[in-house]
């Protein structure tokens, strides 16, 4: 997956888009990345939301770049045959931006389901600025915790809150 991510670099040359991709750190997304569920779910999720908003206020809430970004890059969206990655599916949310957001998505999911596999992804993410790492982590935290509050059980919410807090502490 790291190799595929590298192949998405610089696929969009030319002038930047009029409206860069939004990370929704300072306001609700269109049916996902909603702030209200975090605000009202628990004191823990409200603290996470306060951190997300502070990251948005200091780092901005838009993603710029010339890469192809999948926006939901995790193991559930890859096809594997005989141990080899053969494809990536679910491109309906793809945007122009920074492919490192996809690595942050992958890292976030691995933190919740296979923490022993996070090292190589962490090494790649260490190459980008702290500002970008924090903004991308804030986006994934908002996205995953909001979705879990609205669609999953309490144990799942707690799992993703724990992963989100690990990234908060690191940056």
């Amino acid at each position: 997956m790291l190799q595929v991510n590298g192949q998405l670099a610089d696929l969009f040359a030319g002038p930047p888009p009029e409206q860069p991709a939004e990370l929704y750190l300072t306001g609700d997304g269109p049916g996902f990345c909603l702030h209200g569920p975090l605000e009202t779910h628990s004191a823990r999720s409200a603290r996470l939301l306060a951190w997300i908003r502070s990251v948005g206020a200091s780092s901005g809430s838009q993603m710029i770049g010339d890469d192809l970004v999948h926006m939901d890059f995790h193991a559930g969206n890859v096809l594997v045959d005989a141990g080899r990655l053969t494809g990536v599916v679910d491109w309906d949310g793809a945007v122009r931006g920074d492919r490192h957001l996809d690595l942050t998505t992958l890292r976030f999911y691995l933190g919740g389901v296979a923490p022993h596999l996070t090292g190589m992804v962490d090494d790649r993410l260490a190459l980008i600025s702290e500002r970008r790492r924090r903004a991308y982590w804030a986006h994934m935290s908002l996205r995953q915790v909001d979705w879990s509050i609205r669609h999953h059980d309490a144990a799942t919410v707690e799992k993703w809150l724990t992963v989100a807090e690990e990234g908060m502490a690191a940056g």
Side-chain angles (χ1 to χ4, degrees), residues 17-156:
E18 290 183 27
Q19 184 63 38
E22 180 62 47
L23 298 175
Y24 308 110
L25 304 181
T26 58
D28 287 340
F32 62 94
C33 290
L34 303 180
H35 289 221
L38 276 73
E39 197 163 47
T40 60
H41 177 75
S42 67
R44 192 174 173 200
S45 63
R47 280 191 302 276
L48 174 62
L49 180 61
W51 178 77
I52 290 165
R53 288 175 172 165
S54 73
V55 169
S58 65
S59 300
S61 190
Q62 295 180 324
M63 174 182 51
I64 58 171
D66 294 328
D67 306 333
L68 175 58
V69 183
H70 183 276
M71 294 298 289
D72 200 17
F73 193 68
H74 60 83
N77 282 332
V78 297
L79 303 175
V80 178
D81 184 36
R84 295 189 54 152
L85 190 149
T86 58
V88 179
V89 298
D90 192 17
W91 287 91
D92 64 321
V95 298
R96 176 182 179 167
D98 179 358
R99 72 187 186 283
H100 294 95
L101 178 71
D102 281 345
L103 290 182
T104 304
T105 303
L106 177 60
R107 169 57 177 89
F108 199 94
Y109 281 98
L110 288 174
V113 299
H116 62 285
L117 297 177
T118 61
M120 289 175 43
V121 181
D122 286 338
D123 291 346
R124 293 277 176 99
L125 290 172
L127 301 175
I128 66 172
S129 72
E130 181 180 343
R131 182 195 65 77
R132 286 168 47 204
R133 281 193 312 271
R134 286 172 47 89
Y136 300 163
W137 194 265
H139 169 78
M140 272 311 302
S141 297
L142 172 62
R143 190 168 107 198
Q144 192 62 32
V145 173
D146 161 54
W147 193 261
S148 295
I149 290 169
R150 292 186 297 122
H151 300 284
H152 297 288
D153 62 14
T156 302

